[in-house]
mmCIF file with all atom_site columns, all heavy atoms in Angstrom:
data_model
loop_
_atom_site.group_PDB
_atom_site.id
_atom_site.type_symbol
_atom_site.label_atom_id
_atom_site.label_alt_id
_atom_site.label_comp_id
_atom_site.label_asym_id
_atom_site.label_entity_id
_atom_site.label_seq_id
_atom_site.pdbx_PDB_ins_code
_atom_site.Cartn_x
_atom_site.Cartn_y
_atom_site.Cartn_z
_atom_site.occupancy
_atom_site.B_iso_or_equiv
_atom_site.pdbx_formal_charge
_atom_site.auth_seq_id
_atom_site.auth_comp_id
_atom_site.auth_asym_id
_atom_site.auth_atom_id
_atom_site.pdbx_PDB_model_num
ATOM 1  N N   . LEU S 1 533 ? 95.543  205.615 186.040 1.00 0.00 ? 533 LEU S N   1
ATOM 2  C CA  . LEU S 1 533 ? 94.783  204.421 186.055 1.00 0.00 ? 533 LEU S CA  1
ATOM 3  C C   . LEU S 1 533 ? 93.244  204.618 186.162 1.00 0.00 ? 533 LEU S C   1
ATOM 4  O O   . LEU S 1 533 ? 92.937  205.251 187.198 1.00 0.00 ? 533 LEU S O   1
ATOM 5  C CB  . LEU S 1 533 ? 95.247  203.353 187.010 1.00 0.00 ? 533 LEU S CB  1
ATOM 6  C CG  . LEU S 1 533 ? 96.753  202.961 186.914 1.00 0.00 ? 533 LEU S CG  1
ATOM 7  C CD1 . LEU S 1 533 ? 97.628  203.936 187.740 1.00 0.00 ? 533 LEU S CD1 1
ATOM 8  C CD2 . LEU S 1 533 ? 96.945  201.453 187.484 1.00 0.00 ? 533 LEU S CD2 1
ATOM 9  N N   . ILE S 1 534 ? 92.473  204.291 185.270 1.00 0.00 ? 534 ILE S N   1
ATOM 10 C CA  . ILE S 1 534 ? 91.057  204.580 185.227 1.00 0.00 ? 534 ILE S CA  1
ATOM 11 C C   . ILE S 1 534 ? 90.181  203.234 185.266 1.00 0.00 ? 534 ILE S C   1
ATOM 12 O O   . ILE S 1 534 ? 90.406  202.479 184.371 1.00 0.00 ? 534 ILE S O   1
ATOM 13 C CB  . ILE S 1 534 ? 90.642  205.443 184.077 1.00 0.00 ? 534 ILE S CB  1
ATOM 14 C CG1 . ILE S 1 534 ? 91.585  206.689 184.058 1.00 0.00 ? 534 ILE S CG1 1
ATOM 15 C CG2 . ILE S 1 534 ? 89.144  205.906 184.177 1.00 0.00 ? 534 ILE S CG2 1
ATOM 16 C CD1 . ILE S 1 534 ? 91.482  207.449 182.774 1.00 0.00 ? 534 ILE S CD1 1
ATOM 17 N N   . ASP S 1 535 ? 89.362  203.058 186.330 1.00 0.00 ? 535 ASP S N   1
ATOM 18 C CA  . ASP S 1 535 ? 88.498  201.910 186.253 1.00 0.00 ? 535 ASP S CA  1
ATOM 19 C C   . ASP S 1 535 ? 87.127  202.414 186.502 1.00 0.00 ? 535 ASP S C   1
ATOM 20 O O   . ASP S 1 535 ? 86.890  203.619 186.472 1.00 0.00 ? 535 ASP S O   1
ATOM 21 C CB  . ASP S 1 535 ? 88.910  200.883 187.379 1.00 0.00 ? 535 ASP S CB  1
ATOM 22 C CG  . ASP S 1 535 ? 88.892  201.430 188.741 1.00 0.00 ? 535 ASP S CG  1
ATOM 23 O OD1 . ASP S 1 535 ? 88.163  202.393 188.959 1.00 0.00 ? 535 ASP S OD1 1
ATOM 24 O OD2 . ASP S 1 535 ? 89.520  200.791 189.642 1.00 0.00 ? 535 ASP S OD2 1
ATOM 25 N N   . SER S 1 536 ? 86.149  201.471 186.641 1.00 0.00 ? 536 SER S N   1
ATOM 26 C CA  . SER S 1 536 ? 84.818  201.794 186.807 1.00 0.00 ? 536 SER S CA  1
ATOM 27 C C   . SER S 1 536 ? 84.446  202.597 188.051 1.00 0.00 ? 536 SER S C   1
ATOM 28 O O   . SER S 1 536 ? 83.358  203.226 188.181 1.00 0.00 ? 536 SER S O   1
ATOM 29 C CB  . SER S 1 536 ? 83.885  200.685 186.626 1.00 0.00 ? 536 SER S CB  1
ATOM 30 O OG  . SER S 1 536 ? 84.119  199.624 187.558 1.00 0.00 ? 536 SER S OG  1
ATOM 31 N N   . VAL S 1 537 ? 85.292  202.532 188.987 1.00 0.00 ? 537 VAL S N   1
ATOM 32 C CA  . VAL S 1 537 ? 85.032  203.091 190.298 1.00 0.00 ? 537 VAL S CA  1
ATOM 33 C C   . VAL S 1 537 ? 85.792  204.329 190.574 1.00 0.00 ? 537 VAL S C   1
ATOM 34 O O   . VAL S 1 537 ? 85.240  205.313 191.133 1.00 0.00 ? 537 VAL S O   1
ATOM 35 C CB  . VAL S 1 537 ? 85.315  202.068 191.373 1.00 0.00 ? 537 VAL S CB  1
ATOM 36 C CG1 . VAL S 1 537 ? 85.025  202.642 192.727 1.00 0.00 ? 537 VAL S CG1 1
ATOM 37 C CG2 . VAL S 1 537 ? 84.395  200.840 191.203 1.00 0.00 ? 537 VAL S CG2 1
ATOM 38 N N   . SER S 1 538 ? 87.024  204.363 190.190 1.00 0.00 ? 538 SER S N   1
ATOM 39 C CA  . SER S 1 538 ? 87.925  205.492 190.587 1.00 0.00 ? 538 SER S CA  1
ATOM 40 C C   . SER S 1 538 ? 88.987  205.742 189.494 1.00 0.00 ? 538 SER S C   1
ATOM 41 O O   . SER S 1 538 ? 89.187  205.011 188.564 1.00 0.00 ? 538 SER S O   1
ATOM 42 C CB  . SER S 1 538 ? 88.568  205.138 191.942 1.00 0.00 ? 538 SER S CB  1
ATOM 43 O OG  . SER S 1 538 ? 89.418  204.048 191.770 1.00 0.00 ? 538 SER S OG  1
ATOM 44 N N   . THR S 1 539 ? 89.650  206.860 189.683 1.00 0.00 ? 539 THR S N   1
ATOM 45 C CA  . THR S 1 539 ? 90.817  207.249 188.897 1.00 0.00 ? 539 THR S CA  1
ATOM 46 C C   . THR S 1 539 ? 91.962  207.575 189.836 1.00 0.00 ? 539 THR S C   1
ATOM 47 O O   . THR S 1 539 ? 91.725  208.299 190.874 1.00 0.00 ? 539 THR S O   1
ATOM 48 C CB  . THR S 1 539 ? 90.461  208.488 188.093 1.00 0.00 ? 539 THR S CB  1
ATOM 49 O OG1 . THR S 1 539 ? 89.412  208.174 187.147 1.00 0.00 ? 539 THR S OG1 1
ATOM 50 C CG2 . THR S 1 539 ? 91.693  208.967 187.250 1.00 0.00 ? 539 THR S CG2 1
ATOM 51 N N   . ARG S 1 540 ? 93.157  207.068 189.558 1.00 0.00 ? 540 ARG S N   1
ATOM 52 C CA  . ARG S 1 540 ? 94.231  207.205 190.421 1.00 0.00 ? 540 ARG S CA  1
ATOM 53 C C   . ARG S 1 540 ? 95.475  207.464 189.646 1.00 0.00 ? 540 ARG S C   1
ATOM 54 O O   . ARG S 1 540 ? 95.500  207.066 188.381 1.00 0.00 ? 540 ARG S O   1
ATOM 55 C CB  . ARG S 1 540 ? 94.382  206.059 191.418 1.00 0.00 ? 540 ARG S CB  1
ATOM 56 C CG  . ARG S 1 540 ? 94.604  204.778 190.800 1.00 0.00 ? 540 ARG S CG  1
ATOM 57 C CD  . ARG S 1 540 ? 94.466  203.671 191.917 1.00 0.00 ? 540 ARG S CD  1
ATOM 58 N NE  . ARG S 1 540 ? 94.809  202.342 191.404 1.00 0.00 ? 540 ARG S NE  1
ATOM 59 C CZ  . ARG S 1 540 ? 93.996  201.522 190.726 1.00 0.00 ? 540 ARG S CZ  1
ATOM 60 N NH1 . ARG S 1 540 ? 92.719  201.943 190.525 1.00 0.00 ? 540 ARG S NH1 1
ATOM 61 N NH2 . ARG S 1 540 ? 94.344  200.320 190.327 1.00 0.00 ? 540 ARG S NH2 1
ATOM 62 N N   . GLU S 1 541 ? 96.513  207.926 190.231 1.00 0.00 ? 541 GLU S N   1
ATOM 63 C CA  . GLU S 1 541 ? 97.775  208.217 189.539 1.00 0.00 ? 541 GLU S CA  1
ATOM 64 C C   . GLU S 1 541 ? 98.920  207.441 190.266 1.00 0.00 ? 541 GLU S C   1
ATOM 65 O O   . GLU S 1 541 ? 98.931  207.265 191.507 1.00 0.00 ? 541 GLU S O   1
ATOM 66 C CB  . GLU S 1 541 ? 98.193  209.719 189.632 1.00 0.00 ? 541 GLU S CB  1
ATOM 67 C CG  . GLU S 1 541 ? 97.292  210.596 188.725 1.00 0.00 ? 541 GLU S CG  1
ATOM 68 C CD  . GLU S 1 541 ? 97.807  212.048 188.754 1.00 0.00 ? 541 GLU S CD  1
ATOM 69 O OE1 . GLU S 1 541 ? 98.852  212.316 188.958 1.00 0.00 ? 541 GLU S OE1 1
ATOM 70 O OE2 . GLU S 1 541 ? 96.946  212.916 188.534 1.00 0.00 ? 541 GLU S OE2 1
ATOM 71 N N   . LYS S 1 542 ? 99.900  207.044 189.507 1.00 0.00 ? 542 LYS S N   1
ATOM 72 C CA  . LYS S 1 542 ? 101.109 206.340 189.940 1.00 0.00 ? 542 LYS S CA  1
ATOM 73 C C   . LYS S 1 542 ? 102.274 206.972 189.360 1.00 0.00 ? 542 LYS S C   1
ATOM 74 O O   . LYS S 1 542 ? 102.481 206.897 188.173 1.00 0.00 ? 542 LYS S O   1
ATOM 75 C CB  . LYS S 1 542 ? 101.005 204.904 189.638 1.00 0.00 ? 542 LYS S CB  1
ATOM 76 C CG  . LYS S 1 542 ? 102.112 204.031 190.223 1.00 0.00 ? 542 LYS S CG  1
ATOM 77 C CD  . LYS S 1 542 ? 102.050 202.605 189.901 1.00 0.00 ? 542 LYS S CD  1
ATOM 78 C CE  . LYS S 1 542 ? 100.844 201.962 190.524 1.00 0.00 ? 542 LYS S CE  1
ATOM 79 N NZ  . LYS S 1 542 ? 100.798 200.441 190.160 1.00 0.00 ? 542 LYS S NZ  1
ATOM 80 N N   . SER S 1 543 ? 103.110 207.680 190.150 1.00 0.00 ? 543 SER S N   1
ATOM 81 C CA  . SER S 1 543 ? 104.309 208.338 189.605 1.00 0.00 ? 543 SER S CA  1
ATOM 82 C C   . SER S 1 543 ? 105.351 207.306 189.252 1.00 0.00 ? 543 SER S C   1
ATOM 83 O O   . SER S 1 543 ? 105.577 206.398 189.961 1.00 0.00 ? 543 SER S O   1
ATOM 84 C CB  . SER S 1 543 ? 104.835 209.370 190.686 1.00 0.00 ? 543 SER S CB  1
ATOM 85 O OG  . SER S 1 543 ? 105.981 209.894 190.294 1.00 0.00 ? 543 SER S OG  1
ATOM 86 N N   . VAL S 1 544 ? 105.954 207.656 188.049 1.00 0.00 ? 544 VAL S N   1
ATOM 87 C CA  . VAL S 1 544 ? 106.985 206.687 187.529 1.00 0.00 ? 544 VAL S CA  1
ATOM 88 C C   . VAL S 1 544 ? 108.302 207.492 187.343 1.00 0.00 ? 544 VAL S C   1
ATOM 89 O O   . VAL S 1 544 ? 109.212 207.036 186.634 1.00 0.00 ? 544 VAL S O   1
ATOM 90 C CB  . VAL S 1 544 ? 106.491 205.934 186.241 1.00 0.00 ? 544 VAL S CB  1
ATOM 91 C CG1 . VAL S 1 544 ? 105.363 205.000 186.527 1.00 0.00 ? 544 VAL S CG1 1
ATOM 92 C CG2 . VAL S 1 544 ? 106.198 206.980 185.231 1.00 0.00 ? 544 VAL S CG2 1
ATOM 93 N N   . GLY S 1 545 ? 108.438 208.674 187.845 1.00 0.00 ? 545 GLY S N   1
ATOM 94 C CA  . GLY S 1 545 ? 109.735 209.433 187.567 1.00 0.00 ? 545 GLY S CA  1
ATOM 95 C C   . GLY S 1 545 ? 109.700 210.058 186.243 1.00 0.00 ? 545 GLY S C   1
ATOM 96 O O   . GLY S 1 545 ? 108.778 210.546 185.665 1.00 0.00 ? 545 GLY S O   1
#
Side-chain angles (χ1 to χ4, degrees):
L533 301 87
I534 306 168
D535 61 19
S536 59
V537 177
S538 64
T539 299
R540 60 191 186 277
E541 292 183 24
K542 185 182 291 186
S543 176
V544 295

